[in-house]
């Protein structure tokens, strides 16, 4: 799926939720007073759906307009990001397994280190013996989703000691600027 495809999908949802909200408003205005309580409930649901669709759509537009992505490139889903890292490591002779997040458990490698993070900077500082990856994400929620996914795939966290939901990215990420998922992977 390209960013253009994602745009079409989000635009369709935005348009549909707008029509549903319009219908809910009309239904409310047809009766005097507050009308049927179901009408109010339907309006609230339609309004929430519209706001969510609008935020997703506007977030993608802002992201593309800021010039950080070519609309014809592949949309960075969590699976796509992991697949890119996995394929790059395979070219280097390292097999990352889908079901084993810590590839050094069999003792084949001297060391394994991995850092996953979110940043507003698109700068990568190279270090000796590390592979670096930088992927643009749509917004902070998309970034957190990808962060959680890659943490499960690349970090040894079997007891879920790192609770992604408890991390407050808003302290370090400016949501008005482009957001990137940054991965540093070192295997020797």
């Amino acid at each position: 799926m390209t960013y253009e495809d994602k745009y079409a999908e989000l635009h369709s949802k935005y348009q549909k939720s707008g029509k549903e909200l319009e219908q809910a408003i009309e239904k409310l205005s047809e009766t005097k007073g507050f009308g049927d309580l179901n009408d109010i409930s339907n309006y609230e649901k339609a309004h929430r759906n519209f706001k969510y669709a609008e935020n997703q759509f506007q977030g993608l537009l802002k992201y593309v307009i800021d010039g950080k992505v070519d609309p014809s490139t592949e949309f960075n889903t969590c699976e796509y990001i992991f697949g890119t890292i996995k394929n790059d490591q395979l070219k280097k002779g390292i097999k990352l397994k889908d079901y084993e997040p810590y590839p050094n458990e069999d003792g084949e490698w001297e060391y394994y280190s991995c850092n996953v993070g979110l940043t507003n900077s698109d700068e990568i500082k190279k270090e000796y013996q590390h592979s670096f990856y930088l992927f643009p994400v749509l917004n902070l929620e998309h970034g957190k989703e990808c962060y959680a996914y890659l943490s499960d795939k690349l970090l040894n966290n079997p007891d879920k000691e790192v609770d992604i939901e408890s991390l407050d990215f808003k302290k370090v990420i400016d949501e008005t600027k482009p957001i990137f998922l940054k991965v540093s992977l070192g295997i020797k």
Side-chain angles (χ1 to χ4, degrees):
M1 171 184 284
T2 65
Y3 279 90
E4 289 172 319
D5 297 334
K6 188 65 174 176
Y7 169 85
E9 175 189 311
L10 292 178
H11 183 265
S12 174
K13 288 179 181 177
Y14 180 49
Q15 209 170 23
K16 181 181 176 198
S17 66
K19 289 177 183 175
E20 289 171 356
L21 178 60
E22 190 177 307
Q23 291 170 352
I25 291 171
E26 284 179 27
K27 189 82 169 159
L28 266 182
S29 65
E30 289 175 357
T31 57
K32 293 185 178 184
F34 290 110
D36 185 1
L37 290 181
N38 287 331
D39 291 342
I40 294 172
S41 175
N42 290 339
Y43 165 76
E44 288 175 341
K45 180 181 176 189
H47 188 258
R48 269 193 316 273
N49 289 342
F50 176 76
K51 291 303 285 180
Y52 178 78
E54 179 182 41
N55 287 339
Q56 294 294 308
F57 180 67
Q58 295 298 336
L60 179 63
L61 278 182
K62 179 179 177 359
Y63 187 70
V64 172
I65 289 169
D66 285 346
K68 292 294 182 186
V69 80
D70 175 0
S72 63
T73 59
E74 189 71 21
F75 176 68
N76 292 327
T77 62
C78 302
E79 295 82 9
Y80 173 80
I81 292 171
F82 179 67
T84 300
I85 294 170
K86 188 176 169 182
N87 289 337
D88 184 59
Q89 290 298 305
L90 188 58
K91 289 176 189 172
K92 296 174 183 180
I94 299 164
K95 294 179 183 176
L96 295 176
K97 302 171 186 159
D98 290 332
Y99 55 86
E100 186 179 300
Y102 189 63
N104 201 31
E105 288 182 2
D106 58 7
E108 183 178 346
W109 309 103
E110 281 183 45
Y111 76 88
Y112 172 82
S113 70
C114 180
N115 293 309
V116 179
L118 295 177
T119 181
N120 288 117
S121 172
D122 60 356
E123 181 181 322
I124 295 180
K125 294 181 181 174
K126 300 277 183 189
E127 289 181 26
Y128 181 66
Q129 295 180 337
H130 275 80
S131 298
F132 287 90
Y133 306 94
L134 192 66
F135 299 94
V137 293
L138 287 175
N139 52 37
L140 187 55
E141 285 307 309
H142 181 226
K144 284 172 65 175
E145 176 187 329
C146 292
Y147 181 100
Y149 184 85
L150 287 181
S151 293
D152 284 343
K153 292 287 190 180
L154 298 171
L155 299 176
N156 189 14
N157 188 25
D159 299 326
K160 303 290 184 203
E161 295 148 359
V162 178
D163 179 19
I164 306 303
E165 290 305 315
S166 70
L167 299 176
D168 189 5
F169 290 102
K170 291 186 179 193
K171 290 181 180 178
V172 293
I173 299 297
D174 182 352
E175 293 184 75
T176 64
K177 296 180 181 174
I179 302 171
F180 300 90
L181 178 76
K182 190 184 260 186
V183 178
S184 166
L185 192 61
I187 304 174
K188 180 180 168 191

